[in-house]
């Protein structure tokens, strides 16, 4: 159990970045993408855009938030965005929230909410329900299976014996 | 609320693919990646590999499962893997589970579990805890913020008026 850190009051810069995410989302429709945009802003103020490219790139993980995180990390040469803020045109789905956690995003701000999205035909309810449902009742079964011919711990044993590993 | 569909009994092919995911994971350590591997197998038996490239590619979303899903979709030219099975060397984190849901993966099978991973220094507990914690108490605040100068629904209005949209 952790507690939510206090969040700095809204600034003019927050509004600039959030409005940009919403404008990117609207523009992306004309670019044959989904109606979603995002901006990652690092602690020192560098901004990186992302838009939804699921259908355009045949990548079900290419939500705007994930794309913005990938762009920021790629261009900054890091996998750690500690202290960054993620602005999104719409409430992030669990995939995007978990991606933001892995990237160590500090705060997420979004404009439209999940109900606005559902009214437009983008209903993420199944995703929220999935994580709210006990594991044994979930729609996509996730099953432990003991591998044959190799120990399930073999990769971790390889890892612990590999001197040049990069911890993360 | 949905119910878990019945899962076909384990087959020899399941064991072949799962053992491959574990071997990919061990090999990936020597290739300067994390100790994680995955294989997506489509309903008609085509297999696509993925390995963890978080540090190698500076992409915090490049978990083995996500990479395998991206590879399968890219090579098949689709964003929909309905009926596919995802084999992973290790229990998928919430980001990977949600990515699999978006890709419409039918079943996930994993070898090592979250406790094996934690013992090797890969502790995803904060991620599972995140989704088990009420929104107002979460470690990464996710805040609705009304945009200024543009309606939060503008992207959806653009979408509904755009005749060439690709629904998904």
């Amino acid at each position: 159990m952790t507690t939510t850190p206090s969040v700095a009051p809204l600034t003019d810069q927050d509004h600039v970045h959030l409005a940009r995410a919403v404008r990117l989302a609207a523009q992306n429709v004309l670019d044959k993408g989904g109606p979603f945009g995002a901006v990652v802003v690092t602690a020192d103020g560098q901004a990186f855009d992302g838009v939804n490219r699921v259908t355009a790139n045949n990548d079900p993980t290419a939500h705007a938030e994930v794309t913005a995180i990938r762009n920021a990390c790629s261009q900054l040469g890091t996998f750690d965005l500690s202290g960054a803020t993620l602005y999104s045109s719409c409430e992030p789905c669990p995939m995007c929230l978990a991606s933001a956690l892995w990237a160590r995003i500090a705060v997420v701000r979004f404009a439209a909410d999940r109900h606005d999205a559902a009214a437009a035909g983008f209903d993420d309810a199944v995703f929220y329900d999935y994580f709210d449902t006990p594991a044994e009742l979930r729609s996509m079964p996730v099953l432990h299976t003991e591998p044959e011919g190799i120990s399930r711990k073999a990769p971790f044993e390889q890892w612990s014996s590999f001197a040049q590993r990069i911890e993360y």
Side-chain angles (χ1 to χ4, degrees), chain A:
Chain A
M1 187 74 170
T2 53
T3 52
T4 299
S6 61
V7 177
L10 262 180
T11 66
D12 287 350
Q13 281 302 302
D14 284 323
H15 280 299
V16 167
H17 297 306
L18 185 66
R20 176 169 178 79
V22 178
R23 283 196 303 272
L24 286 170
Q27 176 60 42
N28 193 46
V29 174
L30 304 180
D31 296 336
K32 309 268 172 76
F36 303 98
V39 180
V40 165
V41 179
T42 60
D44 65 351
Q46 299 179 76
F48 302 89
D49 297 343
V51 289
N52 180 294
R53 303 309 286 167
V54 169
T55 59
N57 292 3
N58 283 319
D59 181 351
T61 73
H63 286 197
E65 299 91 329
V66 171
T67 304
I69 288 168
R70 283 186 202 148
N71 285 344
C73 287
S74 171
Q75 290 176 51
L76 293 169
T78 181
F79 52 87
D80 181 350
L81 300 173
S82 292
T85 301
L86 173 62
Y87 301 88
S88 179
S89 66
C90 189
E91 188 172 355
C93 79
M95 176 180 74
C96 293
L97 290 177
S99 298
L101 279 173
W102 278 117
R104 301 173 195 167
I105 295 281
V107 182
V108 179
R109 290 193 181 276
F110 64 90
D113 65 21
R114 64 182 82 177
H115 308 293
D116 299 323
F122 294 91
D123 190 354
D124 292 358
V126 65
F127 293 81
Y128 291 102
D129 288 351
Y130 184 86
F131 289 98
D132 289 341
T133 300
E136 64 277 14
L137 296 175
R138 289 179 175 173
S139 56
M140 178 180 71
V142 179
L143 308 167
H144 175 254
T145 307
E146 202 61 39
E148 293 187 343
I150 187 167
S151 161
R152 71 176 199 249
K153 296 185 185 177
F156 297 131
E157 289 159 2
Q158 183 76 273
W159 176 257
S160 61
S161 68
F162 185 67
Q164 298 111 295
R165 65 184 180 271
I166 300 174
E167 310 267 357
Y168 71 99

